Amino acid sequence: MVTTSTSTALDHTNLDWWRSSVTYQIYIRSFADADGDGMGDVNGIRSRIGYLAELGVDALWINPWYPSPQADAGYDVADYRDIEPEFGTLEDGRALVTEAHAAGIRVLLDIVPNHNSDEHVWFEAAVASPPGSPERARFHFRPGRGDNGELPPNDWVSEFGGSGWTRLDQPDGEWYLHLFDVKQPDLNWDNPEVRAEFLDVLRFWFDAGVDGFRIDVAHGLLKASGLPDLGEAAKPRLGQPPIPGHPHWDQPGVPDLYRAWRELADSYDPPRVFVAEAWVSSVQRLAEYLRPENLHTAFDFHTTRCHWDFEELRSAISASMAAHRVVGAPVTWVLSNHDIDRHVTRYGRGPTAHPLHGRPEDPVDIPLGTRRARAAILLELALPGAVYLYQGEELGLPQVDDIPEDRLADPVWERSGHTRRGRDGCRVPIPWTRSGPSFGFGDGEPWLPQPSNWSELSVEAEEGDHASMLWLYRDALRVRHQLPELHGDEFTWLEGNDKVIAFTRGDGFACVVNFDSQPIELPEGAVLLSSVALENGALPTDAAAWITLA
Ligand code: GLC
């Protein structure tokens, strides 16, 4: 594999790049399909590096690309040291890292430490070995309750619905824990062998020049000893923070587990970085993961969870910044990802809809959501900290709520007994061209169908229209790169109108977002960028502006 010394375009002198970087999330199945099998792939990503460089992102995060039965779209990993043949080869992966680096873009992968696949050699060995064996000790195997062990060991549930336990079809009849799909057995992080294995996996990819990792379910690794019942808390809470004291989410020792990961990352030149997916009960708790000796960054889902509401957003931003400041970590802002409804749709729903997972029957106003999404990205990119973009948000793609049931692929659909449609609606393949098969995604039938009216949301259409979402993103990223004020920590709220979020960064820059029903006057200065045209110099409702102060 390549080493980073072969790359030329990255600035290795800036060791703090991750504190204010903009990272683009690539959902590999749906980004670009180079080989025409209907599924995105590594070579598809390679073919679009020019697009990503032009967009102006600093890094990519690629969802799991490892060999996998794809029971949960790759989050069921069968081999952590290879690439799924459907996505490409290790050679292709090497080439991608080299080419991204040459374009000045870093590459983060996705590590899945909480569970692997039931087709991983470890789990196959565990099934073939007796209770009490070292092979079973890598997982959570337990005898069942009831006279004949016919009841699960406790009341834990799968995030996707149903029991969190499955019984082996064997004379010993032990059960194994899976907090997600039945094909995703949870690993036992009290076992030193498990800890050593993941350090070695990290080393494998770091040696390959990969710049860091997003950590999947980073808050889940330890389980309360004795695996006590949940009791009242025994309900699926996908997208909700776990309650404090929960027996399998965010156990007290989890943040410190990552010290060994940090030491390893720091031993590389240049050091490698981490971003955690940690759904925890408070921003204070999140900050525990971000102590200097633990991880670098973690997604701030507390703001993601806000409706388009002045008070909710302002207080969440404030609380997140305050909690991160205590440990000296940057906040990592995120509007959308592959697990939640796209924010154009979320912001187009009413204030009583679930902030992350609406129901298809919730009324939605897409033009309104789009207008707010334009304001939201200017707000997000003006805040101090790091930002993650989810592929397609730069095109203003909405959630697809009408995928035919027989095409739904998310295990949530089956495991919830067809009561929750799951997350496919935010995972629909990207439209690259106005016309042609799958709007230029690839030559094959895409793994999820695209809406027939996505022509004008395609990259091709938006490139030709300076008023498009794509150009707003490109312009905002360009300005963000150019303005030194947007890279440091300086931040001051501007007080004034109650229904406005406004702040300065340093002496010379202000961001104003108007949630009021009337247009508002802007501070004195030159408008650098606005999410919609100003009205006689005033900022309309649901709009944002960036200003160089006079
Ligand atoms: C994370 C992933 C999600 C996956 C789950 C289980 O939440 O983002 O897509 O289903 O973990 O790995």
Side-chain angles (χ1 to χ4, degrees), residues 4 7-13 58 100-107 209 211 270:
T4 39
S7 57
T8 52
L10 293 179
D11 175 9
H12 288 316
T13 61
D58 305 301
H101 284 176
I105 299 175
R106 291 181 163 86
V107 179
D211 300 284

Side-chain angles (χ1 to χ4, degrees), residues 76-389:
D76 46 321
V77 179
D79 177 358
Y80 289 85
R81 295 180 183 79
D82 203 345
I83 292 182
E84 162 64 35
E86 233 179 342
F87 296 145
T89 63
L90 270 179
E91 259 323 297
D92 301 334
R94 282 182 202 120
L96 167 63
V97 173
T98 307
E99 289 160 10
H101 284 176
I105 299 175
R106 291 181 163 86
V107 179
L108 311 189
L109 300 182
D110 204 325
I111 184 113
V112 188
N114 181 67
H115 44 263
N116 58 19
S117 162
D118 66 341
E119 297 182 36
H120 187 284
V121 286
W122 272 13
F123 193 77
E124 289 173 344
V127 171
S129 304
S133 61
E135 288 79 4
R136 289 212 177 170
R138 294 165 175 156
F139 299 89
H140 297 279
F141 278 90
R142 292 287 185 282
R145 296 202 266 210
D147 291 345
N148 301 304
E150 72 282 11
L151 299 172
N154 68 20
D155 67 356
W156 294 4
V157 288
S158 155
E159 281 290 291
F160 297 159
S163 170
W165 294 92
T166 290
R167 193 175 195 184
L168 293 185
D169 185 13
Q170 287 191 354
D172 68 69
E174 279 206 326
W175 298 69
Y176 68 92
L177 176 68
H178 53 85
L179 293 175
F180 292 90
D181 193 69
V182 55
K183 288 181 68 62
Q184 292 168 292
D186 277 56
L187 287 157
N188 174 12
W189 273 82
D190 288 323
N191 184 331
E193 215 189 331
V194 171
R195 298 185 184 204
E197 167 68 359
F198 275 89
L199 284 172
D200 198 56
V201 168
L202 294 175
R203 228 174 266 125
F204 176 86
W205 293 104
F206 288 161
D207 288 346
V210 162
D211 300 284
F213 278 93
R214 178 258 191 192
I215 307 170
D216 186 63
V217 194
H219 55 305
L221 307 197
L222 298 178
K223 287 35 178 186
S225 86
L227 310 185
D229 275 343
L230 283 169
E232 269 310 288
K235 40 181 165 110
R237 296 172 58 85
L238 193 71
Q240 293 294 318
I243 53 166
H246 196 288
H248 63 67
W249 293 142
D250 190 28
Q251 283 285 293
V254 179
D256 291 347
L257 265 186
Y258 295 111
R259 287 185 185 190
W261 292 32
R262 180 64 179 256
E263 269 170 34
L264 179 68
D266 284 348
S267 73
Y268 278 78
D269 181 19
R272 310 308 205 239
V273 303
F274 295 109
V275 58
E277 182 212 26
W279 293 89
V280 297
S281 55
S282 68
V283 278
Q284 289 71 25
R285 192 53 204 160
L286 190 67
E288 292 298 315
Y289 288 76
L290 303 179
R291 293 195 171 278
E293 62 279 18
N294 294 343
L295 299 172
H296 306 73
T297 53
F299 300 121
D300 180 67
F301 293 129
H302 293 85
T303 44
T304 315
R305 243 187 240 120
C306 294
H307 294 95
W308 184 252
D309 175 274
F310 159 77
E311 280 178 341
E312 273 185 47
L313 274 165
R314 186 179 154 133
S315 67
I317 291 169
S318 233
S320 290
M321 289 201 299
H324 283 71
R325 203 173 301 124
V326 173
V327 292
V331 187
T332 300
W333 311 104
V334 48
L335 292 168
S336 280
N337 65 33
H338 65 292
D339 289 329
I340 58 180
D341 294 358
R342 284 189 175 274
H343 62 273
V344 157
T345 301
R346 297 199 325 261
Y347 291 157
R349 294 191 183 122
T352 56
H354 187 285
L356 297 180
H357 303 278
R359 295 161 310 161
E361 60 273 27
D362 288 331
V364 54
D365 179 342
I366 294 295
L368 178 67
T370 303
R371 181 184 177 94
R372 291 173 171 175
R374 293 177 66 93
I377 190 62
L378 292 195
L379 167 60
E380 184 182 48
L381 288 173
L383 291 168
V387 168
Y388 276 70
L389 309 176

Side-chain angles (χ1 to χ4, degrees), residues 59-73:
L60 309 177
W61 149 35
I62 304 171
N63 286 101
W65 66 7
Y66 317 102
S68 160
Q70 303 288 321
D72 181 22

